[in-house]
Amino acid sequence: MSNRRTFLKHSGLMVAASLLPFSSCLGNNRKEKLGVALVGLGYYSTDLLAPALQQTENCELRGIVTGSPEKIPVWQKRYGIKDANVYNYENMDQISNNPDIDVIYIVLPTGLHAEYAIKAAHTGKHVWCEKPMARTAEECQAIIDACNKNKVKLSIGYRMQHETNTQLISKWAKSKPYGEIEHVISEAGYNGGTINPWKLEKEMGGGAIYDMGVYAINAARYSTGMEPIAVTANRSTNRPEIFTEVDETTSFILEFPEGVRVDGKTSFGENLNNLQVTCKEGSYYLRPMQAYSGVSGRTSDGKILEPMRRNQQAKQMDDDALAILNNSKVLVPGMEGLKDIGIVEKINESALADGKRITF
């Protein structure tokens, strides 16, 4: 298994770039649109974030940070990115001098999030960090501290919290239109025949519980409006020859105050996409609950929860850009990511202790 050094080597980190950014600083005048630089040009940046940025109203793609020089001309041709807005992992600190770029979006493997989100914060630019926030709660706190120290905003890429039906479920956790919540089922996973190699590596933050489990964990929290008090968990695999370092499937039970229970599951071996909330006077569900589009559901009294038509990533980035432009609170701050990773750590602790009940 490769480690951080070999990952960066394979991504071309050691290839030095001679491109120099602008040297002027950001001004204090409000801008109409914010310039975003994507750090890491893998699948999520290439197929989802970059196209979504073309649909945003409050921000636009202006820069890239990559360790793969062969990708640079492709991105420049497709998106008109200036030479001065192209960086590698070694010189990305020079973004601090570039007035074109206001936000640095970390889209690297989870195990690299903390290192590069902290580097991004030290440039004085605002930081967007893809989910899961980091490998450990300690790393999450370090990112938060770096952003606070540099007085920049930090948003975590939980696109679902910007989706309209998800927001409705969150509101119902407080308003309780179907009575007190009693039980929740929260499941997220996919049957991955071919899995990105880094997602099989513990050091890189791989495993189903990190990649897909944070959807189920975050949904458990926003659908109940509470924080868990205890967890029991177990792991299983049908492919032990592949999953030697990380989990293929993790099932967990989260206990919440007032006797509320959440049965959760995440997997790289099963298609799971379900959030179901049972209340004292009715129930409702989202199926799918974390797809890139078509998130929809139904209530026990027949209400149809129609899917949001807008691109999720575009709405997420527009919302986060507005928080910067208006100097208002971000929808998904760093503490939200930290709380989920704290739960991930407790789930792993329980699973590795043969399902021992762990309290928070």
Side-chain angles (χ1 to χ4, degrees):
M1 291 292 179
S2 61
N3 55 22
R4 173 186 172 275
R5 180 175 294 177
T6 55
F7 171 84
L8 292 175
K9 183 178 180 181
H10 291 161
S11 69
L13 174 60
M14 299 306 175
V15 180
S18 60
L19 303 171
L20 296 176
F22 290 125
S23 59
S24 57
C25 296
L26 286 172
N28 294 322
N29 294 331
R30 177 187 167 102
K31 298 185 176 184
E32 291 184 3
K33 287 190 176 185
L34 298 179
V36 177
L38 296 176
V39 181
L41 305 183
Y43 160 74
Y44 198 70
S45 283
T46 302
D47 289 8
L48 295 163
L49 291 178
L53 276 161
Q54 311 313 303
Q55 301 180 42
T56 58
E57 298 175 358
N58 304 307
C59 50
E60 58 189 13
L61 176 60
R62 291 191 193 146
I64 53 175
V65 179
T66 181
S68 302
E70 71 278 5
K71 295 181 179 180
I72 294 172
V74 177
W75 279 71
Q76 287 191 299
K77 181 178 180 181
R78 184 174 298 168
Y79 297 111
I81 296 170
K82 301 175 184 178
D83 286 349
N85 293 354
V86 177
Y87 300 85
N88 62 28
Y89 297 109
E90 291 181 319
N91 68 12
M92 67 173 277
D93 62 306
Q94 296 176 26
I95 294 176
S96 62
N97 300 317
N98 191 337
D100 275 358
I101 297 172
D102 307 291
V103 178
I104 299 176
Y105 196 157
I106 307 302
V107 204
L108 293 164
T110 306
L112 301 176
H113 281 186
E115 179 179 356
Y116 287 94
I118 290 169
K119 283 186 177 182
H122 288 319
T123 69
K125 308 296 183 176
H126 301 288
V127 180
W128 297 346
C129 181
E130 193 44 49
K131 72 87 196 156
M133 185 175 176
R135 278 192 60 208
T136 66
E138 183 179 5
E139 288 182 346
C140 293
Q141 187 62 57
I143 296 172
I144 293 170
D145 291 344
C147 290
N148 287 340
K149 180 180 179 180
N150 289 281
K151 299 180 180 179
V152 298
K153 288 189 182 293
L154 169 64
S155 298
I156 310 304
Y158 280 51
R159 61 187 167 83
M160 298 317 308
Q161 291 208 27
H162 300 261
E163 191 275 328
T164 52
N165 282 329
T166 303
Q167 291 177 338
L168 180 62
I169 297 296
S170 299
K171 290 177 182 177
W172 284 353
K174 297 177 181 178
S175 63
K176 296 181 172 58
Y178 296 90
E180 295 296 325
I181 295 169
E182 296 179 337
H183 180 244
V184 175
I185 297 172
S186 186
E187 302 171 316
Y190 61 90
N191 191 354
T194 301
I195 299 173
N196 193 317
W198 73 260
K199 293 185 179 182
L200 299 174
E201 299 180 31
K202 182 178 180 180
E203 182 184 349
M204 296 302 290
I209 191 63
Y210 281 98
D211 187 43
M212 301 302 294
V214 290
Y215 288 118
I217 292 166
N218 198 250
R221 293 177 50 240
Y222 66 65
S223 67
T224 61
M226 296 186 289
E227 302 299 331
I229 56 176
V231 63
T232 55
N234 64 78
R235 290 180 173 182
S236 62
T237 180
N238 291 320
R239 295 174 284 177
E241 72 283 0
I242 297 176
F243 292 91
T244 58
E245 296 186 23
V246 300
D247 64 312
E248 178 179 17
T249 299
T250 296
S251 299
F252 54 91
I253 298 171
L254 289 172
E255 300 173 33
F256 288 81
E258 303 171 16
V260 176
R261 166 176 161 157
V262 175
D263 289 318
K265 190 175 186 180
T266 185
S267 181
F268 280 155
E270 296 181 54
N271 292 318
L272 304 168
N273 211 331
N274 176 43
L275 175 64
Q276 183 168 328
V277 183
T278 301
C279 308
K280 196 168 184 178
E281 300 167 15
S283 63
Y284 41 91
Y285 66 80
L286 291 179
R287 283 195 292 271
M289 62 87 104
Q290 47 80 20
Y292 289 142
S293 62
V295 173
S296 58
R298 191 182 182 97
T299 67
S300 56
D301 57 353
K303 292 186 179 69
I304 304 297
L305 307 182
E306 296 287 352
M308 181 177 76
R309 298 191 181 279
R310 193 176 178 206
N311 178 284
Q312 293 174 5
Q313 286 86 358
K315 187 173 188 302
Q316 168 202 323
M317 291 186 284
D318 262 342
D319 288 349
D320 289 340
L322 275 177
I324 295 169
L325 290 167
N326 297 331
N327 194 24
S328 57
K329 290 183 179 180
V330 301
L331 183 59
V332 188
M335 188 55 64
E336 187 76 358
L338 184 151
K339 287 178 180 178
D340 283 348
I341 296 304
I343 295 170
V344 166
E345 291 182 310
K346 295 290 187 180
I347 288 173
N348 285 339
E349 182 182 349
S350 175
L352 293 173
D354 298 321
K356 178 182 178 182
R357 183 176 182 268
I358 306 294
T359 57
F360 288 82

